[in-house]
Amino acid sequence: MPMEKNFCLLQLLLTLITSSIAQPTPETFCGKIKISDPFSLQNPRGSSPFNHMILCKHQRLFFRTSLGLFPISSINYTSKSLTISHPTCSSSIHFISPSLLSAGIPTPKEPNSIIFFNCSSVKHPKLSLISNCTLFDSCAVSLGAFEGSSSCLLVKDSTDLGREFDPKELSCTQYRRVYRSYSDDKDDKEGYEMGTRISFEIPDHIPNICNECQKPNGNCGVGLRCICHPNECRDKVFSPGISQNPINAVLCSLLSITFLMMSYKEGLFTMVT
Ligand SMILES: *[C@@H]1O[C@H](CO)[C@@H](O)[C@H](O)[C@H]1NC(C)=O
Ligand SMILES: *[C@@H]1O[C@H](CO)[C@@H](O)[C@H](O)[C@H]1NC(C)=O
Ligand SMILES: *[C@@H]1O[C@H](CO)[C@@H](O)[C@H](O)[C@H]1NC(C)=O
């Protein structure tokens, strides 16, 4: 309990600090990541639907979804894509497919892939899409430090598997989301980076990307759901299995909001800026 109180105080303090530091400039940064068109931190409810896609919280940038917040490691404004980091392996118990994150959002130029580790079954209807890989080391070791060979399964384009695929079907205990950093048919480990690429380029031929979220079985993933229905965004860092006491969380947010409103009233902002 005292931990939660401290956390609440800290959140209050951070709310105050970040809100008083924010300066309205056309180009801003969230931590080290440049934020510019189509995103805006000043006008988070701005005209571009993709503006609901990101959230800057205590100088850390996140991809917003209806499941929670996923950390963004970089944005490339040339290729119009952002990268969700996935530095460590995750347990298959809480499998989040790249397809689930990106469904309905235009596909990035390079496909998102998945590597499964420690699989004990090799029988699956979609086995043709899955290849043996010895290019990646075991889960415990980072992709950079390759030594020896431990087996893993690679799915080059995760969209082929569909959103319903579950690595437990192959009895894999762990997985990692990766993407190809350049198009090259060589199965070169160097061609892969850790994380998931999400595109933010709206193709001209799609009049309204949110139409998919209206259909009962539409191609609407957790990212698009949040873009189209911002009230369904869950603005809490995604961490499976760990849940904050909901009442405390609500109280804490209310307290922060009240404080923020009070400081607006007191003209604290004009004083600081
Ligand atoms: C951004 O994307 C472009 C086009 O795909 C690529 O040439 C460039 O190297 C990327 N920039 C970074 C920093 O990755
Ligand atoms: C691999 O799977 C076995 C059982 O299937 C499990 O006991 C072991 O902890 C797993 N290893 C890793 C690194 O997850
Ligand atoms: C992977 O390798 C194992 C054993 O070496 C083999 O039994 C299996 O069929 C291979 N799977 C694929 C998808 O090639």
Side-chain angles (χ1 to χ4, degrees):
M1 285 303 130
M3 268 283 285
E4 268 169 5
K5 267 196 193 130
N6 280 342
F7 176 75
C8 191
L9 267 178
L10 191 68
Q11 192 173 339
L12 195 62
L13 203 67
L14 282 169
T15 310
L16 176 66
I17 293 168
T18 40
S19 53
S20 55
I21 286 172
Q23 298 263 351
T25 44
E27 190 179 277
T28 44
F29 281 85
C30 181
K32 285 179 179 161
I33 302 175
K34 191 179 93 180
I35 307 298
S36 60
D37 194 53
F39 305 117
S40 158
L41 296 181
Q42 265 68 48
N43 184 16
R45 304 284 168 265
S47 54
S48 163
F50 286 127
N51 222 10
H52 295 297
M53 208 166 171
I54 61 161
L55 183 72
C56 186
K57 215 177 175 184
H58 315 325
Q59 293 304 303
R60 283 180 71 206
L61 194 64
F62 293 99
F63 176 62
R64 295 174 87 200
T65 74
S66 56
L67 283 180
L69 301 172
F70 291 82
I72 292 175
S73 56
S74 65
I75 299 181
N76 187 328
Y77 290 97
T78 312
S79 63
K80 290 199 168 24
S81 63
L82 53 85
T83 304
I84 302 172
S85 51
H86 192 200
T88 54
C89 279
S90 301
S91 162
S92 297
I93 297 167
H94 308 288
F95 179 61
I96 305 291
S97 158
S99 312
L100 182 68
L101 292 171
S102 66
I105 296 170
T107 42
K109 286 173 190 80
E110 308 301 340
N112 284 307
S113 312
I114 323 175
I115 309 169
F116 298 112
F117 296 96
N118 210 14
C119 308
S120 50
S121 165
V122 285
K123 285 194 178 71
H124 194 272
K126 288 185 171 169
L127 206 60
S128 58
L129 303 167
I130 303 166
S131 52
N132 273 328
C133 63
T134 49
L135 298 161
F136 301 92
D137 213 346
S138 70
C139 237
V141 186
S142 72
L143 289 186
F146 175 66
E147 27 177 88
S149 63
S150 74
S151 68
C152 54
L153 298 177
L154 170 72
V155 179
K156 275 191 187 164
D157 190 345
S158 62
T159 50
D160 293 343
L161 281 181
R163 274 187 288 156
E164 274 69 48
F165 176 82
D166 192 316
K168 289 190 280 295
E169 294 165 23
L170 286 166
S171 309
C172 311
T173 62
Q174 278 159 312
Y175 77 99
R176 182 178 260 173
R177 290 190 301 270
V178 295
Y179 60 90
R180 283 184 80 83
S181 51
Y182 55 84
S183 45
D184 189 342
D185 266 350
K186 266 195 308 179
D187 250 344
D188 190 349
K189 172 168 87 77
E190 265 72 62
Y192 287 92
E193 308 268 353
M194 285 177 273
T196 307
R197 278 265 169 93
I198 305 282
S199 167
F200 54 87
E201 188 164 34
I202 313 176
D204 297 333
H205 62 270
I206 299 176
N208 183 2
I209 57 163
C210 289
N211 284 348
E212 282 299 315
C213 291
Q214 315 293 330
K215 301 174 191 165
N217 289 313
N219 187 26
C220 179
V222 294
L224 186 61
R225 182 150 293 281
C226 170
I227 292 172
C228 299
H229 306 286
N231 58 335
E232 288 182 35
C233 300
R234 216 158 161 259
D235 288 342
K236 201 166 144 284
V237 178
F238 178 78
S239 57
I242 304 159
S243 68
Q244 199 187 357
N245 182 333
I247 294 176
N248 263 322
V250 167
L251 276 179
C252 195
S253 309
L254 270 180
L255 200 61
S256 299
I257 290 166
T258 315
F259 194 78
L260 199 64
M261 280 163 68
M262 273 165 58
S263 12
Y264 262 114
K265 261 199 167 148
E266 303 289 323
L268 199 113
F269 282 72
T270 41
M271 250 171 63
V272 178
T273 51

